[in-house]
Amino acid sequence: RDGAFELVVSPLLLAELERALAYPKLRARIARDQADAVMAWLRTSALHIPDPLSYPLRVRSRDPAADYLLALAATARALLVTGDGDLLELAEESPIHTPSAFVALLRT
């Protein structure tokens, strides 16, 4: 919110996040109104780019369904911040960080 970085989203990413926020495991920690507020904020505050479905990737995830996130980050020339192990294993080859590592990066 303070402009230290810009969030980048795409339609696929927003749909995946909305689905994930409805999972019982997350619903137990994040109330529906909070989840709705996050989604509304992302829809109005993040940089929206189209889904880069045909972007040629030099690195691919073990989980092909996650490759669109690599393509999104590459298209936007952005860091990918995730807790997904399949993506984090690529951190030496691509600019991928855990949320805590990203926060530490912002503090430096």
XYZ file of all heavy atoms in Angstrom:
830
model
N 0.813 -1.213 0.000
C 0.000 0.000 0.000
C 0.843 1.258 0.000
O 0.382 2.288 -0.457
C -0.911 0.022 1.224
C -2.036 -0.966 1.140
C -3.002 -0.745 2.239
N -3.215 -1.996 2.944
C -3.952 -2.116 4.005
N -4.514 -1.082 4.539
N -4.108 -3.285 4.559
N 2.066 1.161 0.520
C 2.905 2.357 0.586
C 3.747 2.565 -0.662
O 4.555 3.489 -0.720
C 3.789 2.326 1.835
C 4.828 1.212 1.802
O 4.898 0.480 0.803
O 5.566 1.078 2.785
N 3.587 1.722 -1.670
C 4.294 1.900 -2.928
C 5.690 1.309 -2.963
O 6.436 1.571 -3.899
N 6.066 0.509 -1.985
C 7.400 -0.097 -1.980
C 7.570 -1.082 -3.131
O 8.677 -1.340 -3.573
C 7.660 -0.794 -0.646
N 6.475 -1.625 -3.615
C 6.496 -2.520 -4.763
C 5.112 -2.515 -5.389
O 4.156 -2.016 -4.809
C 6.904 -3.949 -4.367
C 5.970 -4.592 -3.379
C 4.907 -5.366 -3.802
C 6.159 -4.414 -2.005
C 4.043 -5.952 -2.891
C 5.304 -5.000 -1.095
C 4.241 -5.771 -1.539
N 5.017 -3.055 -6.583
C 3.735 -3.124 -7.275
C 3.332 -4.586 -7.416
O 4.130 -5.420 -7.836
C 3.852 -2.486 -8.652
C 2.560 -2.384 -9.389
C 2.673 -1.504 -10.614
O 3.730 -1.505 -11.270
O 1.683 -0.816 -10.911
N 2.112 -4.893 -7.055
C 1.575 -6.235 -7.228
C 1.123 -6.406 -8.668
O 0.499 -5.517 -9.235
C 0.378 -6.459 -6.308
C 0.684 -6.590 -4.834
C -0.603 -6.558 -4.022
C 1.439 -7.872 -4.570
N 1.443 -7.563 -9.237
C 1.033 -7.878 -10.597
C 0.096 -9.082 -10.537
O 0.420 -10.081 -9.888
C 2.259 -8.210 -11.477
C 1.828 -8.614 -12.874
C 3.225 -7.037 -11.516
N -1.040 -8.981 -11.192
C -2.005 -10.075 -11.219
C -2.485 -10.285 -12.647
O -2.322 -9.429 -13.511
C -3.213 -9.812 -10.288
C -2.790 -9.701 -8.834
C -3.984 -8.576 -10.723
N -3.085 -11.450 -12.852
C -3.719 -11.766 -14.127
C -5.061 -12.426 -13.806
O -5.303 -12.813 -12.654
C -2.835 -12.719 -14.934
O -2.885 -14.025 -14.391
N -5.913 -12.587 -14.794
C -7.197 -13.241 -14.525
C -7.041 -14.638 -13.913
O -7.759 -14.976 -12.966
C -7.871 -13.293 -15.901
C -7.312 -12.095 -16.619
C -5.880 -12.023 -16.158
N -6.109 -15.440 -14.430
C -5.905 -16.781 -13.863
C -5.444 -16.721 -12.415
O -5.903 -17.503 -11.576
C -4.864 -17.557 -14.676
C -5.347 -18.291 -15.906
C -4.161 -18.898 -16.670
C -6.332 -19.377 -15.549
N -4.549 -15.814 -12.110
C -4.049 -15.686 -10.740
C -5.165 -15.263 -9.793
O -5.314 -15.825 -8.708
C -2.888 -14.702 -10.683
C -2.305 -14.425 -9.298
C -1.823 -15.704 -8.630
C -1.173 -13.424 -9.408
N -5.966 -14.295 -10.203
C -7.072 -13.857 -9.351
C -8.079 -14.988 -9.127
O -8.566 -15.185 -8.015
C -7.764 -12.634 -9.955
C -6.973 -11.331 -9.883
C -7.687 -10.241 -10.670
C -6.731 -10.902 -8.447
N -8.361 -15.749 -10.173
C -9.309 -16.864 -10.035
C -8.751 -17.929 -9.102
O -9.479 -18.468 -8.256
C -9.609 -17.462 -11.408
N -7.460 -18.226 -9.225
C -6.849 -19.223 -8.345
C -6.857 -18.756 -6.897
O -7.148 -19.522 -5.976
C -5.416 -19.519 -8.788
C -4.749 -20.578 -7.952
C -3.355 -20.939 -8.432
O -2.906 -20.463 -9.477
O -2.706 -21.727 -7.708
N -6.539 -17.498 -6.677
C -6.539 -16.958 -5.319
C -7.943 -16.982 -4.720
O -8.121 -17.374 -3.566
C -5.975 -15.534 -5.307
C -5.934 -14.855 -3.956
C -5.112 -15.660 -2.951
C -5.380 -13.447 -4.093
N -8.923 -16.608 -5.503
C -10.296 -16.621 -5.001
C -10.721 -18.042 -4.621
O -11.353 -18.261 -3.589
C -11.242 -16.035 -6.044
C -12.605 -15.719 -5.500
C -13.341 -14.712 -6.356
O -13.198 -14.746 -7.589
O -14.057 -13.886 -5.772
N -10.340 -19.019 -5.444
C -10.631 -20.427 -5.135
C -9.932 -20.851 -3.852
O -10.519 -21.482 -2.984
C -10.154 -21.302 -6.300
C -11.157 -22.196 -6.887
C -10.680 -23.111 -8.008
N -9.329 -22.973 -8.515
C -8.963 -22.217 -9.550
N -9.854 -21.508 -10.199
N -7.709 -22.160 -9.946
N -8.653 -20.493 -3.732
C -7.869 -20.897 -2.559
C -8.424 -20.277 -1.280
O -8.454 -20.931 -0.234
C -6.409 -20.516 -2.748
N -8.861 -19.042 -1.358
C -9.403 -18.375 -0.171
C -10.698 -19.018 0.316
O -11.114 -18.784 1.446
C -9.598 -16.882 -0.435
C -8.313 -16.068 -0.515
C -8.603 -14.652 -1.013
C -7.592 -16.033 0.824
N -11.325 -19.831 -0.513
C -12.547 -20.531 -0.117
C -12.261 -21.919 0.454
O -13.177 -22.560 0.974
C -13.488 -20.648 -1.309
N -11.022 -22.399 0.385
C -10.688 -23.713 0.938
C -10.928 -23.710 2.445
O -10.605 -22.728 3.125
C -9.227 -24.071 0.679
C -8.826 -24.293 -0.752
C -7.501 -24.223 -1.118
C -9.766 -24.576 -1.744
C -7.104 -24.431 -2.431
C -9.376 -24.788 -3.049
C -8.049 -24.707 -3.395
O -7.663 -24.910 -4.688
N -11.468 -24.791 2.990
C -11.738 -24.854 4.431
C -10.505 -24.523 5.289
O -10.631 -23.843 6.305
C -12.201 -26.291 4.644
C -12.776 -26.693 3.331
C -11.937 -25.996 2.292
N -9.330 -24.986 4.875
C -8.108 -24.730 5.647
C -7.842 -23.226 5.780
O -7.492 -22.737 6.853
C -6.927 -25.420 4.960
C -5.605 -25.227 5.652
C -4.508 -25.963 4.906
C -3.155 -25.716 5.517
N -2.085 -26.389 4.800
N -8.029 -22.501 4.687
C -7.824 -21.050 4.739
C -9.034 -20.337 5.332
O -8.879 -19.335 6.026
C -7.514 -20.500 3.350
C -6.152 -20.869 2.805
C -5.966 -20.291 1.409
C -5.038 -20.380 3.724
N -10.219 -20.844 5.062
C -11.429 -20.212 5.585
C -11.416 -20.203 7.119
O -11.938 -19.286 7.744
C -12.673 -20.956 5.061
C -13.982 -20.383 5.478
C -14.262 -18.987 4.992
N -14.380 -18.980 3.549
C -14.180 -17.913 2.796
N -13.894 -16.762 3.340
N -14.277 -17.973 1.506
N -10.767 -21.208 7.720
C -10.654 -21.263 9.175
C -9.774 -20.134 9.713
O -9.897 -19.745 10.869
C -10.094 -22.614 9.612
N -8.906 -19.594 8.876
C -7.980 -18.530 9.305
C -8.329 -17.158 8.752
O -7.922 -16.143 9.307
C -6.560 -18.878 8.868
C -6.044 -20.107 9.537
C -4.666 -20.416 9.083
N -4.173 -21.541 9.875
C -2.963 -21.984 9.805
N -2.103 -21.431 9.000
N -2.605 -22.998 10.550
N -9.017 -17.154 7.631
C -9.351 -15.888 6.972
C -10.860 -15.845 6.777
O -11.411 -16.641 6.011
C -8.635 -15.770 5.610
C -7.119 -15.879 5.781
C -8.999 -14.458 4.926
C -6.369 -16.054 4.487
N -11.506 -14.935 7.447
C -12.965 -14.811 7.341
C -13.368 -14.402 5.930
O -12.596 -13.775 5.206
C -13.469 -13.777 8.350
N -14.576 -14.762 5.559
C -15.068 -14.460 4.214
C -14.990 -12.974 3.899
O -14.585 -12.588 2.803
C -16.504 -14.945 4.058
C -17.062 -14.700 2.651
C -18.476 -15.131 2.526
N -18.894 -16.119 1.608
C -18.290 -16.660 0.577
N -17.071 -16.350 0.318
N -18.850 -17.540 -0.217
N -15.357 -12.118 4.852
C -15.314 -10.676 4.582
C -13.884 -10.187 4.380
O -13.638 -9.309 3.559
C -16.040 -9.880 5.669
C -15.429 -10.020 7.053
O -14.833 -11.077 7.351
O -15.566 -9.069 7.846
N -12.922 -10.781 5.091
C -11.519 -10.424 4.882
C -11.041 -10.885 3.506
O -10.331 -10.154 2.815
C -10.638 -11.030 5.967
C -10.862 -10.438 7.338
C -10.072 -11.192 8.389
O -10.020 -12.417 8.386
N -9.467 -10.439 9.294
N -11.411 -12.094 3.129
C -11.042 -12.617 1.816
C -11.647 -11.748 0.712
O -10.965 -11.411 -0.264
C -11.494 -14.063 1.673
N -12.906 -11.378 0.878
C -13.560 -10.510 -0.109
C -12.866 -9.160 -0.193
O -12.702 -8.602 -1.284
C -15.039 -10.318 0.241
C -15.860 -11.583 0.053
O -15.375 -12.538 -0.610
O -16.993 -11.623 0.586
N -12.434 -8.631 0.951
C -11.739 -7.337 0.965
C -10.390 -7.429 0.249
O -10.013 -6.516 -0.495
C -11.550 -6.858 2.404
N -9.676 -8.535 0.462
C -8.390 -8.724 -0.224
C -8.612 -8.789 -1.731
O -7.894 -8.146 -2.507
C -7.679 -9.996 0.286
C -6.530 -10.396 -0.627
C -7.183 -9.789 1.697
N -9.597 -9.560 -2.159
C -9.869 -9.688 -3.585
C -10.278 -8.339 -4.186
O -9.814 -7.976 -5.270
C -10.952 -10.743 -3.840
C -10.532 -12.165 -3.512
S -9.034 -12.733 -4.366
C -9.514 -12.552 -6.075
N -11.105 -7.597 -3.497
C -11.519 -6.276 -3.993
C -10.317 -5.348 -4.091
O -10.178 -4.599 -5.068
C -12.594 -5.687 -3.074
N -9.447 -5.396 -3.096
C -8.260 -4.544 -3.110
C -7.353 -4.912 -4.279
O -6.844 -4.023 -4.975
C -7.518 -4.665 -1.769
C -6.327 -3.795 -1.695
C -6.307 -2.444 -1.502
C -4.973 -4.206 -1.823
N -5.008 -1.994 -1.504
C -4.174 -3.063 -1.704
C -4.361 -5.437 -2.031
C -2.792 -3.097 -1.780
C -2.974 -5.483 -2.099
C -2.210 -4.328 -1.982
N -7.146 -6.207 -4.512
C -6.308 -6.634 -5.639
C -6.916 -6.211 -6.973
O -6.191 -5.806 -7.889
C -6.101 -8.148 -5.620
C -5.165 -8.667 -4.546
C -5.196 -10.190 -4.515
C -3.745 -8.164 -4.771
N -8.211 -6.297 -7.075
C -8.871 -5.918 -8.334
C -8.736 -4.428 -8.624
O -8.736 -4.026 -9.789
C -10.336 -6.335 -8.305
C -10.516 -7.825 -8.467
C -11.983 -8.218 -8.631
N -12.097 -9.635 -8.838
C -12.402 -10.512 -7.889
N -12.682 -10.099 -6.670
N -12.463 -11.800 -8.158
N -8.620 -3.621 -7.587
C -8.529 -2.174 -7.810
C -7.120 -1.622 -7.690
O -6.822 -0.570 -8.241
C -9.435 -1.411 -6.824
O -9.036 -1.704 -5.484
C -10.892 -1.768 -7.019
N -6.221 -2.308 -6.995
C -4.908 -1.736 -6.699
C -3.737 -2.378 -7.432
O -2.699 -1.751 -7.578
C -4.636 -1.807 -5.191
O -5.632 -1.101 -4.485
N -3.879 -3.620 -7.855
C -2.760 -4.314 -8.498
C -2.684 -3.953 -9.978
O -3.657 -3.498 -10.578
C -2.926 -5.823 -8.336
N -1.521 -4.181 -10.552
C -1.334 -4.026 -11.985
C -1.872 -5.278 -12.662
O -1.420 -6.385 -12.372
C 0.155 -3.854 -12.318
C 0.524 -3.850 -13.792
C -0.104 -2.658 -14.487
C 2.037 -3.849 -13.953
N -2.846 -5.118 -13.539
C -3.471 -6.246 -14.231
C -2.829 -6.417 -15.602
O -2.749 -5.462 -16.365
C -4.977 -6.005 -14.406
C -5.721 -6.032 -13.123
N -6.544 -7.064 -12.776
C -5.758 -5.158 -12.075
C -7.060 -6.822 -11.586
N -6.596 -5.677 -11.143
N -2.366 -7.636 -15.862
C -1.855 -7.948 -17.196
C -2.581 -9.202 -17.692
O -3.068 -9.996 -16.892
C -0.324 -8.118 -17.231
C 0.140 -9.329 -16.432
C 0.384 -6.856 -16.735
C 1.622 -9.625 -16.622
N -2.634 -9.380 -18.998
C -3.310 -10.577 -19.520
C -2.563 -11.848 -19.127
O -1.352 -11.823 -18.875
C -3.269 -10.385 -21.041
C -2.881 -8.972 -21.268
C -2.169 -8.500 -20.048
N -3.264 -12.952 -19.108
C -2.634 -14.243 -18.849
C -1.650 -14.554 -19.983
O -2.057 -14.600 -21.139
C -3.682 -15.355 -18.773
C -4.580 -15.210 -17.567
O -4.049 -14.957 -16.467
O -5.802 -15.357 -17.720
N -0.390 -14.759 -19.661
C 0.621 -15.032 -20.695
C 0.691 -16.531 -21.020
O 1.647 -17.216 -20.687
C 1.903 -14.543 -20.039
C 1.671 -14.768 -18.588
C 0.203 -14.576 -18.355
N -0.322 -17.035 -21.656
C -0.440 -18.477 -21.866
C 0.566 -19.044 -22.863
O 0.874 -20.222 -22.826
C -1.861 -18.821 -22.305
C -2.935 -18.450 -21.294
C -4.313 -18.771 -21.837
C -2.697 -19.174 -19.970
N 1.104 -18.235 -23.738
C 2.018 -18.773 -24.741
C 3.449 -18.256 -24.582
O 4.240 -18.340 -25.488
C 1.501 -18.442 -26.147
O 1.476 -17.036 -26.325
N 3.778 -17.715 -23.428
C 5.115 -17.172 -23.200
C 6.134 -18.312 -23.167
O 5.947 -19.293 -22.443
C 5.133 -16.411 -21.865
C 6.377 -15.599 -21.652
C 6.450 -14.294 -22.113
C 7.481 -16.129 -21.015
C 7.587 -13.535 -21.925
C 8.626 -15.381 -20.828
C 8.669 -14.083 -21.283
O 9.798 -13.338 -21.107
N 7.209 -18.227 -23.953
C 8.217 -19.296 -23.933
C 9.007 -19.269 -22.623
O 9.594 -18.254 -22.267
C 9.112 -18.972 -25.133
C 8.926 -17.509 -25.361
C 7.542 -17.160 -24.884
N 8.997 -20.368 -21.904
C 9.661 -20.442 -20.606
C 11.019 -21.101 -20.725
O 11.158 -22.134 -21.359
C 8.806 -21.249 -19.623
C 7.459 -20.657 -19.261
C 6.674 -21.648 -18.425
C 7.639 -19.356 -18.511
N 12.030 -20.515 -20.076
C 13.341 -21.164 -20.040
C 13.430 -22.118 -18.859
O 14.254 -23.013 -18.829
C 14.467 -20.141 -20.000
C 14.509 -19.283 -18.780
C 15.708 -18.349 -18.774
N 15.746 -17.587 -17.549
C 16.221 -18.034 -16.407
N 16.730 -19.214 -16.320
N 16.195 -17.278 -15.327
N 12.541 -21.930 -17.874
C 12.475 -22.789 -16.697
C 11.036 -23.246 -16.545
O 10.111 -22.453 -16.723
C 12.913 -22.013 -15.431
C 12.776 -22.866 -14.201
C 14.325 -21.486 -15.578
N 10.845 -24.512 -16.213
C 9.494 -25.047 -16.014
C 9.394 -25.722 -14.655
O 10.343 -26.324 -14.178
C 9.144 -26.041 -17.107
C 9.008 -25.383 -18.458
C 8.328 -26.317 -19.450
N 8.169 -25.639 -20.722
C 7.120 -24.896 -21.055
N 6.139 -24.726 -20.212
N 7.046 -24.317 -22.231
N 8.226 -25.625 -14.066
C 7.959 -26.220 -12.760
C 7.663 -27.715 -12.887
O 7.238 -28.181 -13.943
C 6.759 -25.508 -12.133
O 6.311 -26.171 -10.995
N 7.849 -28.438 -11.775
C 7.411 -29.842 -11.726
C 5.903 -29.930 -11.897
O 5.380 -30.935 -12.326
C 7.766 -30.476 -10.375
C 9.210 -30.758 -10.162
C 9.408 -31.494 -8.861
N 8.816 -30.749 -7.730
C 9.179 -30.899 -6.475
N 10.098 -31.770 -6.148
N 8.610 -30.185 -5.530
N 5.212 -28.865 -11.505
C 3.762 -28.792 -11.626
C 3.413 -27.921 -12.826
O 3.477 -26.698 -12.742
C 3.162 -28.199 -10.346
C 1.660 -28.016 -10.414
O 1.033 -28.462 -11.400
O 1.114 -27.418 -9.473
N 3.059 -28.511 -13.956
C 2.758 -27.723 -15.154
C 1.678 -26.663 -14.942
O 1.677 -25.637 -15.612
C 2.304 -28.764 -16.180
C 2.839 -30.055 -15.688
C 2.910 -29.941 -14.187
N 0.773 -26.895 -13.988
C -0.282 -25.917 -13.721
C 0.281 -24.627 -13.130
O -0.377 -23.590 -13.162
C -1.326 -26.508 -12.785
N 1.502 -24.663 -12.607
C 2.128 -23.472 -12.026
C 2.964 -22.695 -13.036
O 3.411 -21.584 -12.742
C 2.989 -23.864 -10.832
N 3.160 -23.250 -14.214
C 4.003 -22.580 -15.205
C 3.462 -21.209 -15.613
O 4.227 -20.323 -15.970
C 4.208 -23.459 -16.441
C 5.218 -24.564 -16.200
O 5.948 -24.513 -15.190
O 5.287 -25.479 -17.041
N 2.149 -21.021 -15.536
C 1.615 -19.708 -15.897
C 2.139 -18.627 -14.939
O 2.290 -17.470 -15.325
C 0.079 -19.716 -15.965
C -0.615 -19.476 -14.647
C -0.998 -18.192 -14.267
C -0.875 -20.524 -13.769
C -1.629 -17.968 -13.056
C -1.514 -20.300 -12.571
C -1.887 -19.038 -12.219
O -2.504 -18.809 -11.015
N 2.433 -19.002 -13.687
C 2.982 -18.026 -12.743
C 4.405 -17.634 -13.141
O 4.784 -16.466 -13.027
C 2.954 -18.586 -11.324
C 1.565 -18.772 -10.739
C 1.627 -19.568 -9.449
C 0.892 -17.428 -10.525
N 5.185 -18.593 -13.608
C 6.521 -18.277 -14.120
C 6.420 -17.361 -15.331
O 7.177 -16.393 -15.462
C 7.267 -19.561 -14.488
C 7.568 -20.520 -13.344
C 8.044 -21.862 -13.877
C 8.587 -19.915 -12.396
N 5.472 -17.665 -16.209
C 5.281 -16.833 -17.395
C 4.786 -15.440 -17.016
O 5.232 -14.442 -17.596
C 4.291 -17.506 -18.341
N 3.908 -15.364 -16.040
C 3.403 -14.063 -15.582
C 4.542 -13.214 -15.032
O 4.693 -12.045 -15.386
C 2.319 -14.274 -14.519
C 1.699 -13.030 -13.905
C 0.951 -12.222 -14.958
C 0.756 -13.415 -12.773
N 5.373 -13.810 -14.188
C 6.510 -13.075 -13.625
C 7.480 -12.650 -14.720
O 7.982 -11.517 -14.716
C 7.216 -13.924 -12.578
N 7.757 -13.538 -15.672
C 8.678 -13.204 -16.758
C 8.114 -12.094 -17.634
O 8.830 -11.158 -17.997
C 8.979 -14.453 -17.587
N 6.837 -12.181 -17.961
C 6.193 -11.163 -18.788
C 6.244 -9.794 -18.117
O 6.519 -8.789 -18.762
C 4.719 -11.549 -19.064
O 4.703 -12.792 -19.753
C 4.013 -10.503 -19.895
N 5.989 -9.777 -16.829
C 5.957 -8.514 -16.073
C 7.344 -8.085 -15.594
O 7.481 -7.020 -15.003
C 5.022 -8.652 -14.878
N 8.349 -8.944 -15.842
C 9.703 -8.697 -15.320
C 9.631 -8.449 -13.813
O 10.127 -7.447 -13.300
C 10.362 -7.532 -16.044
C 10.596 -7.806 -17.493
C 11.381 -6.713 -18.155
N 11.508 -7.018 -19.561
C 11.287 -6.164 -20.519
N 10.944 -4.934 -20.247
N 11.419 -6.530 -21.771
N 8.978 -9.400 -13.155
C 8.698 -9.261 -11.733
C 9.270 -10.438 -10.953
O 9.547 -11.493 -11.518
C 7.185 -9.201 -11.522
N 9.422 -10.241 -9.668
C 9.747 -11.334 -8.767
C 8.486 -12.147 -8.535
O 7.388 -11.601 -8.510
C 10.211 -10.797 -7.414
C 11.456 -9.938 -7.370
C 11.656 -9.396 -5.958
C 12.671 -10.737 -7.806
N 8.654 -13.425 -8.337
C 7.541 -14.293 -7.984
C 7.656 -14.594 -6.499
O 8.697 -15.068 -6.042
C 7.581 -15.583 -8.807
C 6.502 -16.621 -8.534
C 5.106 -16.035 -8.729
C 6.707 -17.819 -9.448
N 6.624 -14.269 -5.741
C 6.607 -14.515 -4.302
C 5.598 -15.618 -4.044
O 4.423 -15.482 -4.391
C 6.245 -13.224 -3.525
C 6.218 -13.492 -2.031
C 7.230 -12.106 -3.855
N 6.071 -16.717 -3.447
C 5.223 -17.892 -3.294
C 5.691 -18.770 -2.145
O 6.848 -18.705 -1.735
C 5.209 -18.727 -4.600
O 4.314 -19.829 -4.444
C 6.589 -19.238 -4.951
N 4.794 -19.591 -1.675
C 5.141 -20.624 -0.706
C 5.102 -22.000 -1.345
O 5.313 -23.011 -0.682
N 4.858 -22.061 -2.647
C 4.734 -23.320 -3.381
C 6.109 -23.962 -3.575
O 6.993 -23.391 -4.212
C 4.090 -23.039 -4.738
C 3.836 -24.289 -5.536
O 4.820 -24.946 -5.936
O 2.667 -24.616 -5.772
N 6.276 -25.173 -3.042
C 7.550 -25.876 -3.115
C 8.006 -26.176 -4.527
O 9.210 -26.131 -4.815
N 7.067 -26.477 -5.421
C 7.434 -26.758 -6.809
C 8.054 -25.533 -7.475
O 8.937 -25.664 -8.323
C 6.218 -27.219 -7.613
C 5.742 -28.606 -7.217
O 6.582 -29.423 -6.798
O 4.537 -28.868 -7.328
N 7.584 -24.361 -7.107
C 8.152 -23.129 -7.661
C 9.418 -22.717 -6.921
O 10.384 -22.274 -7.539
C 7.108 -22.012 -7.640
C 5.946 -22.221 -8.600
C 4.825 -21.236 -8.311
C 6.397 -22.102 -10.042
N 9.416 -22.874 -5.609
C 10.584 -22.466 -4.823
C 11.836 -23.256 -5.182
O 12.941 -22.742 -5.070
C 10.289 -22.577 -3.329
C 9.337 -21.519 -2.796
C 8.911 -21.864 -1.381
C 9.972 -20.135 -2.847
N 11.667 -24.485 -5.659
C 12.837 -25.259 -6.054
C 13.551 -24.634 -7.258
O 14.685 -24.965 -7.548
C 12.466 -26.707 -6.343
C 11.794 -26.920 -7.668
C 11.647 -28.384 -8.030
O 11.931 -29.263 -7.208
O 11.233 -28.636 -9.166
N 12.904 -23.698 -7.932
C 13.485 -23.017 -9.089
C 14.130 -21.683 -8.722
O 14.568 -20.949 -9.601
C 12.399 -22.781 -10.149
C 11.665 -24.024 -10.637
C 10.485 -23.629 -11.519
C 12.610 -24.959 -11.355
N 14.207 -21.373 -7.441
C 14.684 -20.065 -6.993
C 16.111 -19.755 -7.426
O 16.468 -18.594 -7.595
C 14.559 -19.946 -5.475
N 16.939 -20.758 -7.621
C 18.310 -20.504 -8.068
C 18.357 -20.121 -9.539
O 19.316 -19.508 -9.992
C 19.186 -21.727 -7.806
C 19.426 -21.965 -6.335
C 20.368 -23.133 -6.085
O 21.073 -23.548 -7.020
O 20.373 -23.619 -4.949
N 17.322 -20.466 -10.285
C 17.283 -20.207 -11.721
C 16.404 -19.021 -12.099
O 16.515 -18.503 -13.209
C 16.774 -21.444 -12.459
C 17.598 -22.686 -12.186
C 16.917 -23.924 -12.702
O 16.722 -24.003 -13.930
O 16.585 -24.793 -11.886
N 15.516 -18.615 -11.211
C 14.560 -17.545 -11.486
C 14.391 -16.687 -10.236
O 14.638 -17.149 -9.124
C 13.196 -18.138 -11.866
O 13.289 -18.862 -13.058
N 13.935 -15.451 -10.410
C 13.717 -14.584 -9.239
C 12.453 -14.969 -8.481
O 11.385 -14.408 -8.679
C 13.622 -13.187 -9.841
C 13.160 -13.417 -11.243
C 13.696 -14.753 -11.661
N 12.587 -16.004 -7.638
C 11.464 -16.530 -6.858
C 11.844 -16.468 -5.383
O 12.944 -16.893 -5.009
C 11.144 -17.982 -7.265
C 10.804 -18.046 -8.759
C 10.002 -18.533 -6.422
C 10.666 -19.447 -9.301
N 10.934 -15.945 -4.557
C 11.198 -15.780 -3.129
C 10.014 -16.257 -2.302
O 8.871 -16.162 -2.734
C 11.444 -14.303 -2.795
C 12.597 -13.712 -3.510
N 13.896 -13.892 -3.110
C 12.665 -12.954 -4.624
C 14.708 -13.257 -3.930
N 13.977 -12.681 -4.869
N 10.311 -16.717 -1.099
C 9.246 -16.967 -0.137
C 8.730 -15.609 0.336
O 9.430 -14.595 0.201
C 9.755 -17.741 1.086
O 10.723 -16.932 1.761
C 10.334 -19.096 0.711
N 7.530 -15.564 0.901
C 7.045 -14.285 1.430
C 8.010 -13.669 2.446
O 8.287 -12.462 2.399
C 5.697 -14.641 2.058
C 5.221 -15.795 1.235
C 6.469 -16.595 0.948
N 8.545 -14.479 3.359
C 9.454 -13.910 4.366
C 10.749 -13.412 3.734
O 11.278 -12.371 4.143
C 9.745 -14.929 5.469
O 10.334 -16.092 4.937
N 11.263 -14.101 2.734
C 12.473 -13.631 2.041
C 12.193 -12.334 1.284
O 13.044 -11.447 1.232
C 12.995 -14.698 1.082
N 10.995 -12.214 0.725
C 10.633 -10.985 0.024
C 10.542 -9.802 0.988
O 11.037 -8.713 0.699
C 9.309 -11.162 -0.727
C 8.886 -9.949 -1.484
C 9.628 -9.474 -2.561
C 7.745 -9.259 -1.123
C 9.244 -8.342 -3.260
C 7.346 -8.131 -1.807
C 8.089 -7.672 -2.879
N 9.951 -10.027 2.151
C 9.881 -8.968 3.163
C 11.285 -8.558 3.593
O 11.579 -7.359 3.712
C 9.027 -9.411 4.375
C 9.168 -8.446 5.537
C 7.567 -9.553 3.969
N 12.166 -9.527 3.788
C 13.544 -9.213 4.145
C 14.221 -8.415 3.037
O 14.991 -7.473 3.313
C 14.324 -10.505 4.427
N 13.961 -8.774 1.787
C 14.512 -8.039 0.651
C 14.031 -6.586 0.646
O 14.806 -5.662 0.399
C 14.115 -8.741 -0.647
C 14.641 -8.191 -1.945
C 16.153 -8.308 -2.003
C 14.009 -8.906 -3.120
N 12.764 -6.380 0.964
C 12.224 -5.015 1.021
C 12.883 -4.185 2.128
O 13.020 -2.977 1.993
C 10.712 -5.044 1.256
C 9.849 -5.493 0.094
C 8.396 -5.586 0.540
C 9.991 -4.561 -1.092
N 13.265 -4.851 3.200
C 13.859 -4.136 4.338
C 15.303 -3.733 4.088
O 15.836 -2.899 4.807
C 13.758 -4.992 5.596
C 12.330 -5.101 6.070
C 12.247 -5.894 7.355
N 10.864 -5.900 7.822
C 10.339 -6.868 8.522
N 11.077 -7.903 8.895
N 9.091 -6.801 8.890
N 15.952 -4.343 3.084
C 17.363 -4.003 2.809
C 17.488 -2.858 1.850
O 16.586 -2.438 1.214
C 18.126 -5.220 2.247
O 17.510 -5.645 1.034
C 18.167 -6.343 3.239
